[in-house]
Amino acid sequence: MYHNMKRTILLLAGALQAVLLFAQTAQPPATSDLPEQPKPKANNLLEAFEQGHFHGSFRTFLMTTDNARHLSDYHALAAGGSLHFASSPWHGFSFGLGGVFNYNLASSDLGAKDSITGAVNRYEIGLFDVQNPKNRKNLDRIEELWLRYQWKKSLITIGQQSLQTPFVNYQDGRMRPTAESGAWLEISELKNTKIEGGYLWKISPRSTVEWFGVGESIGLYPKGLNPDGTGSGYPENLESMGIGMLGITRQWGKRTKIQVWDQYVENIFNTAFVQADHTHPLKNKHKLLFGLQLTHQDALSHGGHEEVSKTYFQKGGQSNVISAQTGWEHDSWQALAAYTRVTSDGRFLSPREWGREPFYTFMARERVEGSGDSHSITGRLNWQNKNKKLRFEGAYGHFYLPDVKNAALNKYAFPSFQQINLDARYAFGGMFEGLRVHFLYVWKGRLGEVYGNDKYVINRVDMSHFNLIFNYTY
């Protein structure tokens, strides 16, 4: 542990020293996921670094999965942290650098196959390295290394960074988030309007330690099935020059917000996404909430590869998704009901390596990605105390998917299921300021037919899943 931590610190220090010695052009503010800090303007390059600020975190994560009685159970305890630096602006430029380190303190054998089904671990391995279940210590990564230029309310960032968009996002539910390498522009000069977009050429997915080209990043997680039922052959066979994205967010008055996004994955597929959210005030501070999302996808060229068995998105394929939400809010309470329909036009596909799906029915530890002709219905109740330090959320959902043998519309052969999530979070104050604890319990019960085959059950349904996380940020 000591030698890996030492290596991470030396990598961070070495990169910072290299910039100090050779950078003649300047450097950017902290990435968008870090808290805003005062940024005194520097008179020279040295002051830009002297007046910069550090931000870091430590995380301990205990995760266990209790499968059906005769199937394998799993557990893992992970610990790690991060260290980030951002310089002060100098002539509008600033520089950022950040890295993470992570250790497997204790776990079951995450590379072992279940004796009955041959299935491998699904959840706990995500705390470490999905490419190498035996990797317990070499889990560090330079996550941020960027140059930014800011003018007025707008900025452009080039390099390694972490973005939050509908389909490329942190999905920070493990030990480290997904990160991207590219150029990203944010324009906020227009009143009540934000325009953002850019081009990404590399991705380091959550639960990995390396950086990958866009094509090779797809398929690091379980690959699922081709529409004809054979195993998907796209891992390591997709070619793409990168991802182009454009998003426009407009606030209409005080009550309505509209987002429009387009994600163009060169040579593979295109996704268009629209979301509108509206708040309607009632008497005595009560509010009604409404939301609507529309998603449309089209294959590009051959969908990633000329051979049908090795492509990601079938040539000529498409998908359509409608998601809607309504709810009520008053003081510390919020109640929401949501519905998502993936039509029978085709499977909704979005690389899980890049982020979680944005639909209103999303519940932690499961997704509807890979399905077509599916229906999702969820209800949730949220409460937080007045100082917002204590928060509870309870959610219940029914997810109706095509039959597990219908590979054309059920990529991962997942049975229909019901799910309960219980989520509790507390932020400490006083002498423990910066410490937060998070508990998540997930139960999933089977609704669909599995034909007596436990490979459709293990790590999917008839299971309980526990998470206890301690986060400290400074």
Side-chain angles (χ1 to χ4, degrees):
M1 178 182 291
Y2 168 77
H3 293 294
N4 281 326
M5 186 180 299
K6 181 179 178 181
R7 184 179 66 174
T8 302
I9 294 172
L10 288 175
L11 283 171
L12 293 171
L16 185 57
Q17 183 181 29
V19 172
L20 282 167
L21 289 173
F22 300 112
Q24 300 267 333
T25 53
Q27 302 68 44
T31 52
S32 58
D33 59 318
L34 304 182
E36 286 295 321
Q37 301 286 341
K39 303 181 182 69
K41 292 184 179 180
N43 295 315
N44 54 56
L45 184 58
L46 180 60
E47 284 189 6
F49 283 92
E50 289 180 337
Q51 296 174 4
H53 65 273
F54 285 90
H55 167 81
S57 66
F58 293 100
R59 173 176 288 189
T60 301
F61 203 131
L62 174 64
M63 179 184 290
T64 66
T65 301
D66 180 15
N67 278 302
R69 183 172 56 186
H70 56 294
L71 301 174
S72 298
D73 298 328
Y74 303 95
H75 69 272
L77 176 62
S82 66
L83 178 64
H84 304 267
F85 171 82
S87 72
S88 291
W90 180 55
H91 298 295
F93 289 92
S94 53
F95 163 82
L97 173 66
V100 295
F101 59 92
N102 186 16
Y103 300 96
N104 182 339
L105 300 182
S107 73
S108 48
D109 186 349
L110 302 182
K113 294 183 178 181
D114 176 67
S115 60
I116 297 175
T117 65
V120 295
N121 178 262
R122 180 185 181 195
Y123 295 106
E124 287 75 9
I125 187 60
L127 296 174
F128 309 110
D129 182 359
V130 294
Q131 290 190 290
N132 183 8
K134 302 296 183 181
N135 184 5
R136 301 178 69 93
K137 296 180 180 180
N138 186 23
L139 296 165
D140 43 19
R141 178 179 76 182
I142 297 297
E143 190 172 86
E144 297 177 348
L145 181 59
W146 46 258
L147 181 71
R148 177 176 294 165
Y149 179 72
Q150 186 167 5
W151 69 99
K152 296 182 180 179
K153 298 180 181 180
S154 301
L155 55 87
I156 183 170
T157 306
I158 300 175
Q160 295 172 196
Q161 54 195 295
S162 293
L163 300 175
Q164 191 71 351
T165 74
F167 299 104
V168 177
N169 48 65
Y170 311 151
Q171 57 173 347
D172 189 17
R174 299 296 191 273
M175 288 299 291
R176 55 186 177 273
T178 296
E180 302 79 33
S181 185
W184 193 255
L185 176 66
E186 298 180 20
I187 300 175
S188 303
E189 308 305 318
L190 301 176
K191 185 177 180 181
N192 298 324
T193 302
K194 181 178 182 180
I195 302 172
E196 53 191 316
Y199 173 68
L200 308 179
W201 51 79
K202 280 194 173 183
I203 293 180
S204 184
R206 179 188 73 178
S207 311
T208 66
V209 297
E210 304 292 339
W211 287 86
F212 304 88
V214 168
E216 64 178 342
S217 72
I218 305 174
L220 299 173
Y221 293 0
K223 61 184 181 178
L225 303 172
N226 285 320
D228 63 1
T230 59
S232 295
Y234 60 79
E236 300 183 357
N237 287 309
L238 300 178
E239 295 184 2
S240 177
M241 295 176 62
I243 306 170
M245 286 192 289
L246 177 64
I248 301 174
T249 303
R250 171 75 176 178
Q251 185 72 40
W252 295 89
K254 297 181 179 179
R255 302 174 185 172
T256 304
K257 183 171 75 171
I258 298 176
Q259 301 180 60
V260 179
W261 286 85
D262 190 79
Q263 176 180 278
Y264 180 89
V265 185
E266 191 273 333
N267 195 48
I268 302 181
F269 69 100
N270 188 86
T271 301
F273 174 78
V274 179
Q275 177 175 326
D277 294 288
H278 177 73
T279 301
H280 182 73
L282 301 173
K283 294 181 179 179
N284 300 320
K285 297 182 180 180
H286 290 263
K287 299 177 183 177
L288 293 180
L289 310 175
F290 303 96
L292 179 66
Q293 297 171 330
L294 303 175
T295 305
H296 175 76
Q297 294 185 303
D298 288 299
L300 298 177
S301 185
H302 295 277
H305 199 283
E306 292 184 358
E307 292 186 34
V308 174
S309 63
K310 297 180 179 179
T311 197
Y312 179 73
F313 214 115
Q314 295 295 303
K315 182 179 180 180
Q318 64 169 303
S319 77
N320 293 284
V321 186
I322 301 172
S323 188
Q325 177 174 266
T326 186
W328 160 86
E329 184 176 281
H330 178 64
D331 291 337
S332 299
W333 291 91
Q334 186 183 73
L336 300 168
Y339 169 75
T340 296
R341 164 68 170 160
V342 183
T343 70
S344 58
D345 298 306
R347 304 189 294 191
F348 164 70
L349 299 175
S350 183
R352 298 187 176 196
E353 295 85 355
W354 298 357
R356 46 155 284 188
E357 59 201 33
F359 307 133
Y360 293 119
T361 51
F362 175 81
M363 292 177 65
R365 301 298 182 266
E366 205 47 77
R367 314 184 191 195
V368 297
E369 188 274 328
S371 73
D373 195 18
S374 65
H375 302 264
S376 305
I377 305 168
T378 61
R380 65 188 77 219
L381 183 65
N382 302 322
W383 175 86
Q384 62 183 5
N385 64 354
K386 292 183 178 180
N387 62 14
K388 300 183 179 180
K389 288 185 175 293
L390 179 63
R391 172 185 149 190
F392 292 102
E393 177 183 288
Y396 177 68
H398 272 219
F399 300 85
Y400 300 100
L401 308 176
D403 189 86
V404 293
K405 295 184 178 181
N406 182 359
L409 293 172
N410 195 340
K411 177 180 178 179
Y412 301 102
F414 215 101
S416 297
F417 64 98
Q418 56 185 321
Q419 180 171 340
I420 294 174
N421 282 18
L422 300 176
D423 189 304
R425 308 182 188 214
Y426 182 73
F428 291 85
M431 63 183 297
F432 295 107
E433 186 71 36
L435 177 63
R436 292 170 294 138
V437 61
H438 177 195
F439 173 76
L440 171 65
Y441 168 73
V442 177
W443 172 83
K444 286 191 282 187
R446 178 171 64 89
L447 295 175
E449 179 61 64
V450 296
Y451 302 97
N453 193 334
D454 285 330
K455 75 176 184 179
Y456 301 125
V457 175
I458 187 169
N459 295 324
R460 301 176 183 222
V461 293
D462 296 340
M463 53 162 285
S464 289
H465 180 70
F466 302 84
N467 303 259
L468 180 62
I469 310 126
F470 290 91
N471 289 307
Y472 178 75
T473 57
Y474 59 91

